[in-house]
Amino acid sequence: MAKLKRLATKDDNLVEVHSPLSTTEIGERNKDYDILTPKKFGTKYKELLFKPTEFTWNGKIHQIQYNHCANPYCKYHGQPQVKYPTKGKPTRYKLTGTSNHKSIKCNPDPTSSGGTTVLGCYTSTLSNWSVAQEIQRLVQINSVQDKEEEYEFHKDGCIAEELTPFNEPNGFYKQGKSRLGTQRFQCKVCKKKTSLTPKRDNSITYNQKRSEVHHLFAKLLLSRTPVTRTCEILEIGRGTYYDKLEFLYRRCLEFLERHETKPLQKLEFKEMWLNTDKMTYYLNNVRQKGMGGSRYDDVEENQFPTHVLVSADVLSRYVFRSDVAYDWEITLGDIALDTVLQKEDHLNEFAKKYAHHPKYSHYPQPPSANDTQSKSDYYKELALVERRMNYTEGLHVNSTYTTIAHLWLIKQLVKAPEWRFVTDEDNSLMTSINRVFSKEIRLSDAHHFLCQTDKAKTRKQAREEFVQARVDLIDWGTTRGYGTRSLRKLAYLQMAEMFENHKFHKEIVTAAGTEYADNPILHPLATIDRGLRSVDCTTNLSSLEPKEIDALILNVNDNATNTFIQHIRRRLSILERPLTTARGDGKSYIYSNFNPKYAQMAITILRTYYNFCFAFKSDGTMETPAQRLGLTDKQYSIKDIIYLR
């Protein structure tokens, strides 16, 4: 029988990130810190730019290195740094930019003999070490571990205190079973009685007070009921509310481990269509306990824009991951310790361990002997950091790092030889896809499509476009003599004709070299709520026939993530849209939570319910996203999740 579970913690070390620094290098950094200026120090210790970071997960060693060209049309896309064996030994990339924003530029290829050209691209640098740290964080917050109980089988001073029923059963009497069906033992010397913790099958709600409210609590949570109203309805306190939220979150992770992770290991998809989008919600920024009052008159912003990454299958609408770009366990003390040990305040961002935390990638240090920072600037920087310590615990994570870790984990979870991505024109999403799936893109096994709509349209305008597009498509089919009124078939035929001559990227020769200009199209199938949408492709489709491109474009839509994000807004009180104030002069975020940990928990609970319990009608059938994806053949209920049926 399975043991009871608990949420994973940092101490479980599920992902072991190997430090790229040797003891010798750390010693050299400490010697050079007071000798070199910050610029020279950062230049000397820049080898982490192209050095892969290693980490161990599930017994396997993985390597990541994402500082390479991210332009799919460039010859260097996805290629590592090299030195060419020609005169002067030029390199593939060179480092450019200011200290706060470094980029790598693609140098001309001295060995080029025609074919794909080098486009002289500029690609923002990342810290591979920080990407590994973010992967570690996302694995941890979505994992559970067996709960190991520590028993006290003896009274203080018992001469047999080293004995346990497991290593010496003859030293104990069996005293029957507890009310939960677990064995009770009694020490033969001190006569202390101890009951074992039940297995999961014995008691699913062990150590849970008010277990009778679990089902109603879940329904209230998923019905946008505020925390205070839920507490009133269930007659529980706020502490109990968050205990129940954590319990339900843990149950969902256990359910997903059984019904998502394990089945996906056995499935292989011929082609995976992944729609990724980013949602922004506002976290209330409040002072920590004891940090209020008139003494603390230096204030931060009241709201923090916080990003949530969502990725779903376009065809089945199954949501694979939903991650909040916020680390609620990191402390500025952790950053301060590593800053002192590794002298990270004088390094470039790409060489820092905590580069994924904007503004707080290092802890301010007193100016060194040859520092270019003045003492007044140091005290100003220190004051900002110390002020942050008075507010909500944790730090925001740069959304690009969360997106890369998010996509890397989906790549490990889902087995598919070909990938199709649909996003809007968000640079963090685009560069993440181009880096994580660079090999697949180079081999034409992955393609990225942009899907954009004009959000300034009114519902009336969107409906008018929908009606007009339908009329135009039918008129076009009638003019061409096609004997069908199926809009999808007509759209396929119209695009097949269009792609005989149309290319998504036009090649333009400029003084700086060859460039590729976007050349999007309007999708012939409009939607009733958003009207016409623009479709583009950022990868090279030249290896495909027009009919194959037509079939791909027909599937391009962002309904999967839009639907789930609407469920987040409509079903979770702490993540709903802002309300208009009574004065009408601004927006109020009165239901936003104080800790993004609870946002992550609530979204994961909703994702589990949405995937396995929420059926919708499509093609004449009522099925859940999990059924459509092929993970299960039944519709579950929220009780099945709570009680792990």
Side-chain angles (χ1 to χ4, degrees):
M1 291 187 291
K3 294 182 179 180
L4 293 174
K5 301 284 186 178
R6 60 171 175 79
L7 296 179
T9 65
K10 280 187 175 181
D11 295 334
D12 293 314
N13 211 18
L14 298 180
V15 177
E16 183 184 356
V17 181
H18 306 160
S19 174
L21 303 179
S22 64
T23 307
T24 304
E25 181 174 337
I26 293 175
E28 289 177 355
R29 286 187 181 186
N30 280 273
K31 290 178 183 177
D32 292 336
Y33 186 73
D34 285 323
I35 299 172
L36 302 177
T37 62
K39 184 176 181 180
K40 290 182 178 179
F41 187 91
T43 302
K44 181 175 180 179
Y45 296 102
K46 65 176 184 179
E47 70 284 346
L48 293 185
L49 177 61
F50 297 111
K51 184 178 180 180
T53 295
E54 286 189 351
F55 57 92
T56 304
W57 180 40
N58 289 336
K60 294 182 180 179
I61 295 178
H62 300 271
Q63 279 193 346
I64 55 170
Q65 202 297 96
Y66 291 129
N67 284 316
H68 53 66
C69 178
N71 184 348
Y73 281 87
C74 182
K75 181 179 181 178
Y76 289 163
H77 178 231
Q79 297 297 320
Q81 171 74 314
V82 294
K83 276 189 177 182
Y84 292 106
T86 58
K87 185 178 179 181
K89 294 187 177 179
T91 56
R92 179 172 282 158
Y93 306 111
K94 72 175 180 179
L95 189 63
T96 65
T98 63
S99 58
N100 294 327
H101 184 75
K102 291 285 188 180
S103 300
I104 52 173
K105 182 178 184 294
C106 298
N107 288 327
D109 185 356
T111 63
S112 178
S113 56
T116 309
T117 58
V118 178
L119 302 180
C121 315
Y122 288 88
T123 305
S124 295
T125 58
L126 295 172
S127 168
N128 295 307
W129 197 357
S130 281
V131 173
Q133 294 288 331
E134 185 63 2
I135 291 172
Q136 181 187 54
R137 184 184 75 86
L138 295 189
V139 169
Q140 177 204 316
I141 65 175
N142 287 282
S143 300
V144 289
Q145 294 289 292
D146 289 338
K147 190 175 182 180
E148 301 292 344
E149 293 290 341
E150 294 183 1
Y151 298 104
E152 292 289 342
F153 291 106
H154 307 276
K155 295 179 181 178
D156 291 340
C158 178
I159 59 174
E161 63 181 359
E162 298 297 326
L163 304 181
T164 70
F166 312 119
N167 62 21
E168 190 57 54
N170 293 330
F172 296 84
Y173 298 115
K174 286 188 175 181
Q175 294 287 308
K177 301 289 180 87
S178 70
R179 64 182 181 84
L180 295 176
T182 61
Q183 186 63 53
R184 184 186 290 116
F185 293 97
Q186 183 183 33
C187 174
K188 289 183 177 180
V189 179
C190 66
K191 307 304 181 185
K192 185 180 187 298
K193 294 181 181 180
T194 308
S195 296
L196 298 183
T197 300
K199 300 294 185 182
R200 191 169 63 191
D201 294 345
N202 297 125
S203 177
I204 209 75
T205 57
Y206 175 72
N207 212 19
Q208 282 288 313
K209 296 178 181 178
R210 298 292 309 275
S211 59
E212 75 278 3
V213 306
H214 287 152
H215 182 227
L216 182 54
F217 173 83
K219 292 178 71 174
L220 292 172
L221 174 70
L222 298 172
S223 301
R224 205 172 67 170
T225 307
V227 177
T228 305
R229 301 291 85 78
T230 301
C231 292
E232 290 175 357
I233 293 168
L234 300 179
E235 297 181 346
I236 59 176
R238 286 179 178 268
T240 305
Y241 178 94
Y242 290 111
D243 285 343
K244 297 302 175 193
L245 182 65
E246 185 173 318
F247 168 79
L248 188 56
Y249 175 60
R250 189 172 70 247
R251 279 287 176 267
C252 286
L253 294 183
E254 292 180 65
F255 184 89
L256 292 172
E257 187 179 62
R258 181 186 296 184
H259 296 285
E260 179 186 70
T261 306
K262 290 181 180 179
L264 280 174
Q265 290 173 352
K266 300 174 184 177
L267 288 176
E268 182 165 346
F269 302 92
K270 180 182 177 183
E271 184 180 71
M272 176 52 62
W273 279 84
L274 198 67
N275 178 205
T276 302
D277 202 358
K278 201 160 58 176
M279 183 191 97
T280 303
Y281 87 100
Y282 284 83
L283 162 70
N284 276 326
N285 189 25
V286 297
R287 292 186 184 275
Q288 295 187 35
K289 189 174 181 180
M291 298 297 176
S294 58
R295 292 184 297 119
Y296 300 93
D297 55 353
D298 192 14
V299 296
E300 281 200 334
E301 292 292 334
N302 289 331
Q303 285 96 28
F304 276 176
T306 310
H307 297 300
V308 180
L309 268 296
V310 177
S311 286
D313 176 36
V314 170
L315 306 179
S316 68
R317 297 192 185 180
Y318 185 91
V319 182
F320 288 107
R321 289 193 70 90
S322 50
D323 297 306
V324 177
Y326 194 98
D327 186 352
W328 52 84
E329 291 193 347
I330 191 68
T331 66
L332 288 166
D334 296 333
I335 297 175
L337 180 61
D338 281 312
T339 301
V340 172
L341 292 176
Q342 296 160 184
K343 305 302 179 186
E344 296 201 332
D345 56 313
H346 285 184
L347 293 177
N348 290 300
E349 292 295 310
F350 58 75
K352 295 180 182 179
K353 181 179 180 180
Y354 297 105
H356 54 306
H357 296 300
K359 301 181 183 178
Y360 304 103
S361 58
H362 69 270
Y363 197 90
Q365 298 297 305
S368 59
N370 288 294
D371 210 325
T372 53
Q373 184 186 44
S374 66
K375 280 199 172 184
S376 61
D377 289 338
Y378 158 69
Y379 286 124
K380 287 179 183 177
E381 187 181 2
L382 183 62
L384 293 174
V385 174
E386 289 179 339
R387 185 180 69 182
R388 180 72 191 92
M389 295 172 74
N390 299 331
Y391 283 81
T392 303
E393 293 181 348
L395 296 170
H396 281 94
V397 179
N398 184 318
S399 62
T400 301
Y401 285 90
T402 303
T403 307
I404 289 176
H406 174 99
L407 292 172
W408 187 90
L409 288 168
I410 291 177
K411 188 177 180 180
Q412 310 308 308
L413 179 68
V414 180
K415 297 177 182 177
E418 296 189 358
W419 294 81
R420 311 289 180 246
F421 300 97
V422 180
T423 70
D424 56 12
E425 198 169 7
D426 185 305
N427 287 330
S428 68
L429 301 181
M430 293 166 64
T431 189
S432 299
I433 291 168
N434 290 338
R435 296 188 203 225
V436 176
F437 291 88
S438 59
K439 181 180 177 182
E440 289 78 6
I441 291 173
R442 284 202 316 273
L443 297 174
S444 292
D445 291 333
H447 292 290
H448 174 233
F449 300 95
L450 296 177
C451 181
Q452 299 185 95
T453 55
D454 183 2
K455 295 182 181 179
K457 292 177 192 171
T458 63
R459 282 192 171 273
K460 180 182 178 182
Q461 290 171 329
R463 181 178 176 80
E464 288 173 352
E465 283 188 2
F466 169 74
V467 173
Q468 188 60 46
R470 185 171 55 182
V471 171
D472 291 344
L473 202 54
I474 292 173
D475 288 346
W476 178 87
T478 304
T479 304
R480 293 294 194 279
Y482 294 118
T484 180
R485 293 180 67 85
S486 167
L487 295 179
R488 190 170 179 86
K489 287 182 180 179
L490 289 172
Y492 176 85
L493 293 167
Q494 188 183 73
M495 286 193 293
E497 183 179 298
M498 181 192 307
F499 287 122
E500 291 291 343
N501 301 308
H502 185 276
K503 290 185 178 180
F504 280 112
H505 275 72
K506 297 183 292 186
E507 188 172 319
I508 299 173
V509 179
T510 65
T514 305
E515 297 178 357
Y516 287 87
D518 296 337
N519 191 21
I521 65 166
L522 286 177
H523 200 291
L525 294 177
T527 57
I528 196 169
D529 57 338
R530 288 182 291 164
L532 291 169
R533 61 186 184 274
S534 168
V535 177
D536 201 353
C537 183
T538 68
T539 51
N540 195 342
L541 295 172
S542 59
S543 62
L544 301 179
E545 295 293 327
K547 288 185 178 180
E548 294 175 307
I549 299 174
D550 182 15
L552 291 176
I553 299 302
L554 203 59
N555 288 328
V556 175
N557 67 76
D558 56 2
N559 295 336
T561 55
N562 278 339
T563 301
F564 184 68
I565 289 173
Q566 285 302 319
H567 275 270
I568 292 175
R569 297 293 197 189
R570 299 289 179 265
R571 287 182 172 269
L572 299 178
S573 172
I574 59 176
L575 291 160
E576 70 177 349
R577 294 190 184 280
L579 306 175
T580 304
T581 60
R583 292 181 179 181
D585 60 351
K587 295 179 179 179
S588 172
Y589 299 89
I590 59 172
Y591 294 121
S592 294
N593 65 323
F594 300 150
N595 193 333
K597 173 172 69 174
Y598 300 124
Q600 178 73 48
M601 290 181 177
I603 292 173
T604 302
I605 293 166
L606 175 61
R607 181 172 78 86
T608 309
Y609 172 80
Y610 176 85
N611 284 337
F612 292 90
C613 308
F614 185 78
F616 64 93
K617 190 172 183 180
S618 179
D619 297 328
T621 61
M622 281 288 291
E623 290 181 320
T624 64
Q627 287 175 289
R628 296 181 189 281
L629 190 65
L631 287 183
T632 180
D633 56 2
K634 62 170 284 189
Q635 179 181 357
Y636 289 88
S637 70
I638 195 68
K639 286 187 176 180
D640 294 328
I641 297 172
I642 296 172
Y643 302 111
L644 292 177
R645 292 172 178 169

